[in-house]
Amino acid sequence: MAMGAVEMRELKRLREHANLTQEEMVDHLTTLAKRLFAERRIGKLPTFTVRQLSKWESKEPPPWPHPDARAVLAAYWKRPVEELGLRPRGAKSDGGPIVLTPVPLITQEPAVGPLLVATGPAPLTDEAPPPWLAETTTGTDRSGEWRIVPEEVSFLSAAADDNYAIDQQFGANRLWRPTRAHLLWTHHMIDRGIYDDALGQQLHALAGKLTTSLGWFCYDAGLQDKARQYFSEALNAANYTSDDKLASRTLSNMSRQAVDLNKGREAVRFAKLGQRHAELWDAPTRVIALLAIREAQGYARLGDTFNCEAAIKRAWKEWERGGDERDPDWALFLNLAELTCLEGMCRLDLGQTARAQALLARSEAMQDAAHSRNRGMCLGRLSVAAVENGDVDHGLAAATEALRLVESGMSSTRTAAQLKIVHNGMLPHQRARGVGDLLEQIRAHVA
């Protein structure tokens, strides 16, 4: 039996399991739609009819509901509409990640204004702001409504940019918690505040930006399950708002994480899907280069030399076309030093240790202070490549410098994990001059 037929029956099965006729179901959806519209959770009030519901429940591919109707269906059944069997026209199942429509949260009471600091301790939830935020630039007007002002959105967006810059230099171990607090506050503004359509778009874009950043920070801090959760939420948000830039960025992040989790095929799929989204917004060459080198890393982890070489060539070809004023902030890290490092990582995974050492050494020499975390990652891999290449002295020097960065305050769990790999690779050479001391220092910092 075709999958589509089974999925169509799921929507009907849920309704019949609830002992509802189609007429009753339409009444319930209409009532919920009015409530969501009153809470400003949807932009327009959709109309539901028995004929429309019959089409959604049919065995034939149904029409794709309007975004506001999808939001009502998802909120009513408390699950993405894709799980009800609804799909956009032309959607194909190609083995890639399934992007689901977010399920709107339904408030118990209409919003009456911002929830400011309570007098006593209260748990931090998605419905309340962080309790340490004593004041904001938002406020209530004479009617008691909480009106969001552009300055608050700009402030939070600038904070997100600041955290990204801190991550590049010092790592993200200390960034995921404040970023989560910023994200909760942003969702609180979206759910409870009053704003026009233009500011609403900025708020949703900010939420997506914070969500994918939070996923990256969790990834760098070694919180892989949390990272995958936030990446999935960011991808859902990108799909819901047709934000192909956010989708490209998130899929690039997901591809990088998949490589570290030794999921090469998944990394390749994410990178290719990111490239398809990049085409939709005519992404600049630096973004195309980034997604190509992510694809190469996936192939390298699989040991697929042919496809890895092809992807590396595409990455360099795109990067050498030069920068663009449209380059997004999240792609600017891909400078000459970083692309050289990423190729070196591919060569190391392919077992080309001499070539990897040469590339990684060249990259490390070009890294600047603003990208100290990336330099630490490069040094760790340079040490591994040198030791595997029989060059213990250079491996020792690179590992010593990476350890110095950790001691100076860089807080990247990924760098610490790389030092553990260096430690294990150095063990057979622990009688060599200086190696024993280095091993002891690594154990003291990353044990």
Side-chain angles (χ1 to χ4, degrees):
M1 185 175 295
M3 181 179 294
V6 173
E7 291 175 334
M8 292 311 103
R9 289 200 185 99
E10 175 63 13
L11 184 58
K12 184 177 181 180
R13 186 192 68 78
L14 289 170
R15 176 178 61 78
E16 292 181 344
H17 183 73
N19 294 318
L20 294 173
T21 66
Q22 288 187 327
E23 290 78 5
E24 291 171 333
M25 184 74 257
V26 167
D27 289 341
H28 287 191
L29 292 173
T30 300
T31 300
L32 178 57
K34 291 178 179 178
R35 177 178 175 186
L36 293 177
F37 181 71
E39 294 177 354
R40 298 179 183 269
R41 306 301 303 277
I42 55 178
K44 295 182 179 180
L45 189 62
T47 300
F48 296 95
T49 65
V50 171
R51 181 181 180 183
Q52 184 183 53
L53 182 60
S54 296
K55 289 183 178 180
W56 290 336
E57 292 182 349
S58 70
K59 297 180 181 179
E60 298 300 324
W64 182 232
H66 184 276
D68 292 322
R70 295 201 301 269
V72 176
L73 285 166
Y76 186 85
W77 292 114
K78 296 182 175 61
R79 65 189 69 190
V81 295
E82 288 82 359
E83 293 183 4
L84 304 176
L86 301 173
R87 294 284 190 277
R89 291 235 181 243
K92 297 179 180 179
S93 178
D94 58 359
I98 299 175
V99 181
L100 303 178
T101 300
V103 180
L105 296 173
I106 304 176
T107 57
Q108 298 301 314
E109 297 178 358
V112 295
L115 301 180
L116 298 179
V117 180
T119 56
L124 179 60
T125 70
D126 289 348
E127 290 297 319
W132 55 86
L133 289 180
E135 61 181 40
T136 72
T137 57
T138 58
T140 55
D141 60 17
R142 293 180 180 178
S143 66
E145 293 181 327
W146 181 27
R147 296 199 173 274
I148 308 300
V149 296
E151 288 78 9
E152 181 77 352
V153 181
S154 297
F155 180 83
L156 286 170
S157 184
D161 293 338
D162 288 344
N163 283 345
Y164 182 73
I166 293 170
D167 164 60
Q168 289 292 312
Q169 187 166 1
F170 298 108
N173 281 21
R174 301 185 182 96
L175 290 176
W176 72 268
R177 292 180 183 86
T179 301
R180 179 177 179 272
H182 292 161
L183 178 60
L184 290 179
W185 181 247
T186 301
H187 279 302
H188 184 69
M189 294 164 71
I190 291 172
D191 293 342
R192 298 297 186 94
I194 306 298
Y195 42 83
D196 58 24
D197 290 342
L199 195 55
Q201 291 178 359
Q202 293 180 40
L203 281 167
H204 283 285
L206 173 61
K209 177 180 181 179
L210 287 168
T211 303
T212 200
S213 292
L214 181 53
W216 180 262
F217 296 159
C218 287
Y219 156 63
D220 194 59
L223 305 172
Q224 303 304 337
D225 289 341
K226 285 183 177 293
R228 288 173 73 91
Q229 172 190 340
Y230 289 121
F231 286 151
S232 295
E233 290 181 7
L235 198 56
N236 287 342
N239 180 66
Y240 190 62
T241 58
S242 299
D243 190 340
D244 293 302
K245 291 183 182 180
L246 176 60
S248 299
R249 177 184 182 182
T250 302
L251 287 160
S252 172
N253 291 343
M254 295 171 75
S255 181
R256 174 62 255 182
Q257 184 195 30
V259 170
D260 278 2
L261 296 178
N262 203 28
K263 298 177 181 290
R265 291 181 180 177
E266 192 174 87
V268 171
R269 286 200 299 271
F270 289 151
K272 287 185 173 181
L273 184 56
Q275 291 166 31
R276 293 206 291 271
H277 279 281
E279 291 172 358
L280 294 175
W281 61 282
D282 190 26
T285 55
R286 192 186 298 258
V287 172
I288 304 300
L290 174 59
L291 291 164
I293 200 66
R294 293 294 190 226
E295 181 184 343
Q297 289 181 285
Y299 281 126
R301 187 52 60 99
L302 291 171
D304 187 340
T305 303
F306 178 82
N307 282 309
C308 179
E309 293 277 5
I312 288 173
K313 288 179 180 178
R314 279 192 285 113
W316 278 109
K317 181 180 179 181
E318 294 293 337
W319 189 88
E320 287 170 353
R321 291 182 179 179
D324 190 304
E325 61 181 11
R326 297 186 302 120
D327 285 339
D329 291 343
W330 49 267
L332 293 179
F333 80 96
L334 192 68
N335 54 22
L336 178 60
E338 184 61 17
L339 187 53
T340 302
C341 178
L342 294 175
E343 181 184 349
M345 291 164 59
C346 290
R347 302 296 178 188
L348 185 58
D349 279 348
L350 290 172
Q352 302 171 2
T353 54
R355 196 168 180 182
Q357 182 181 351
L359 286 165
L360 292 166
R362 189 186 312 160
S363 170
E364 189 277 325
M366 292 187 290
Q367 296 281 0
D368 54 37
H371 298 87
S372 294
R373 192 273 313 279
N374 289 351
R375 180 170 178 249
M377 295 295 299
C378 183
L379 284 164
R381 286 179 168 82
L382 172 58
S383 179
V384 172
V387 172
E388 290 185 4
N389 200 34
D391 189 352
V392 178
D393 288 343
H394 280 99
L396 177 64
T400 300
E401 181 62 16
L403 186 61
R404 186 191 67 78
L405 289 175
V406 172
E407 290 175 337
S408 68
M410 186 174 61
S411 60
S412 170
T413 297
R414 285 194 297 150
T415 302
Q418 193 64 34
L419 283 174
K420 291 183 180 180
I421 296 174
V422 171
H423 175 277
N424 295 338
M426 286 280 189
L427 279 176
H429 310 280
Q430 56 185 320
R431 294 186 180 277
R433 186 177 62 179
V435 172
D437 291 339
L438 174 68
L439 295 179
E440 185 176 344
Q441 292 174 21
I442 292 176
R443 286 192 292 267
H445 284 279
V446 302

